[in-house]
Amino acid sequence: MKMDTIRNFSIIAHIDHGKSTLADRMIQLCNLVTEREFKDQILDNMDIERERGITIKSQTICLPYTAKDGTTYSLNLVDTPGHVDFSYEVSRALASCEGALLIVDAAQGVEAQTLANLYLAMENDLVVIPVINKIDLPSAEPERVSLQIEEDLGLDAELIRRCSAKNGTGVAEILEAIVEHLPPPQGDPAKPLQARIFDATYDSYRGTVISCRIINGSVKPGDQIIFMSTGAVHRVEEVGLFRLKKEPSKYLSAGQVGYILAGIKSVGDAKPGDTITLKDAPCSSPLSGFREVLPVVFSSLYPIAADDYEDLASALEKLQLNDAALSFQKDSSAALGFGFRCGFLGLLHLEVVQERLEREFDISLILTVPSVRYRFMLTDDSELMVDNPAHFPDPSKISLIEEPYIRASILIPERYMGVVMTLCMERRGENTKYHYPTPGRIEFTCELPLAEVIYDFYDRLKSITQGYGSFDYEMLEYRPSDLVKLDILVNGEVVDALSQLVHRSNARARGLGACEQLKEEIPRQLFKIAIQAAIGNNIIARTNVSALRKDVTAKCYGGDITRKRKLLEKQKAGKKRMKTVGNVDIPQSAFLAVLKRD
Ligand code: GTP
């Protein structure tokens, strides 16, 4: 394979600016599919992705493109996930490319993630071609957006291309620009193998499919490969290119992007960022930039019906095959019985897993209050990491508590400055800074405890800015914090799954808020229910759910047994989404409601 006819590139964009639509249009133009076969959004093929319009799992494709100069090029489009939770995966995908298309919506302009993604591309020394998409929209302002790209992002105006991914205008010019302006890969096929893993998916027949970029050397079926981070050795069964399906080839060599099958059982063994080399002729050092992706948000999952426990266990195992970032271990709760403590990359990741469990595996779940991982220094000088409020150590033995912080970057029109500032202050924001990237728009940065952001921060931001605010974050270090454990008691019994760690100064307000929310969520029952919030033995808030006097079947005078049965059935269906704690039925929604704030 001649390297000067290869181009490796990614498409990066803020959510919904049209990345997948453009990718599909390019696939169509390169004649990989006929018009008839063309199915919208080929690259986003998971149900949930399609519904939510977000790319979660990246897919790569190799496009044969015959340029105006008559040469046929191999364009490797490395698709990247489009959400902040997955930014490490994005950075590994970018590290496997020489260039990127940076898409900016012609109506929305530059957003927080446009910037974040551009920075990632710059860190990886990529040549960036800015693309203004959706020029067909009546509200499109390509002139204004061009200026923004030139002045705020500092990108070369000459390189800007305009297109409508929807109707195809300008897409051919983008393909030409890729060939003309992006550099071909460099690397030496004669050197020892160095390949960077940027993704791994699971195929139930073939095992793990590793997506990788060959930096130096080559790899072919029969080779013994070694993963440098773990030392694991595998024998290559097949290598090939990503077309619409996997297309086997004799070998992959320097500059190429492709897949390797080596009978690997779990995607967890092929870590993004890791370097693959040959066992018999290894390279001297791994490629830089590898790190383990660690979960940052934790929540326990309990099946509503105890009989579903085994099914939940096997469903989680199946999901993990394809989602190495999902971690789980057995957990039990006095209130909820047996379940699993799971770790996620962020809240979106958590929601996706929850939805897949409910939809694909038909398991009704209770999710406990999401939590971050706290660090405790104990009086005996030992250190303890706790991600489950139920395991909060004895307060008399704690000398220091630390929690993870993030730096949030928020882009908003100037008029929302006040409300956004207030929101950040409520969430214990510090070190707020802002500047005006363009007149009328503010980029606001602020350091916040991650715990204050994981639940509803993004939703609140969207609602107070009428959808104009965009948000991105990066992890900072752990910082000391004055935290206490807030317990919730239902009829005098602590419901461990409702406990949360909160800042002391907010404890009373949070306690009251949680009691009020629960009062809304817990349906009235035949007896009075007391809901209390407590720190240790101190009750700091309380409300009651008053008793229900009416018998549901009382309406069925005359003793019509079928009507009576129907009503009882209806009640039972409602109960399927509830968990009985002591003698009180608590609905699924209540477990997250305690985190809601107004
Ligand atoms: P993520 O996968 O979440 O990163 O989103 P995305 O950037 O891939 O966006 P996607 O391609 O799913 O497009 C988002 C929405 O914009 C869809 O409803 C598209 O139909 C629409 N869209 C994309 N390109 C165009 C365009 O050129 N013109 C118009 N009018 N709409 C477009």
Side-chain angles (χ1 to χ4, degrees), residues 11-24 40-41 44 49-50 52-56 79-83 103 105 113 132-138 163-169:
I11 306 183
I12 51 181
H14 187 78
I15 274 182
D16 276 350
H17 282 195
K19 195 179 68 181
S20 314
T21 315
L22 180 65
D24 294 345
D40 256 351
Q41 311 257 325
D44 283 359
E49 290 192 2
R50 196 180 290 249
R52 300 186 158 209
I54 46 167
T55 316
I56 292 155
D79 196 19
T80 55
H83 190 276
I103 303 192
D105 183 310
Q113 263 183 284
I132 301 178
N133 184 33
K134 307 198 188 179
I135 53 168
D136 60 294
L137 287 177
C163 77
S164 163
K166 193 168 176 182
N167 65 24
T169 316

Side-chain angles (χ1 to χ4, degrees), residues 65-71 73 172-173 176:
Y65 171 65
T66 308
K68 285 203 187 115
D69 63 10
T71 313
Y73 291 84
E173 286 74 9
E176 257 325 288

Side-chain angles (χ1 to χ4, degrees), residues 32 59-63 75-77 198 201 209-212 240-247 257-260:
L32 262 197
Q59 285 193 27
T60 293
I61 195 149
C62 175
L63 302 170
L75 308 185
N76 288 307
L77 163 52
F198 60 84
T201 53
V209 182
I210 301 170
S211 307
C212 65
L241 302 178
F242 294 103
R243 300 291 188 189
L244 281 184
K245 293 199 177 84
K246 291 189 284 292
E247 188 181 284
V257 166
Y259 68 88
I260 298 179

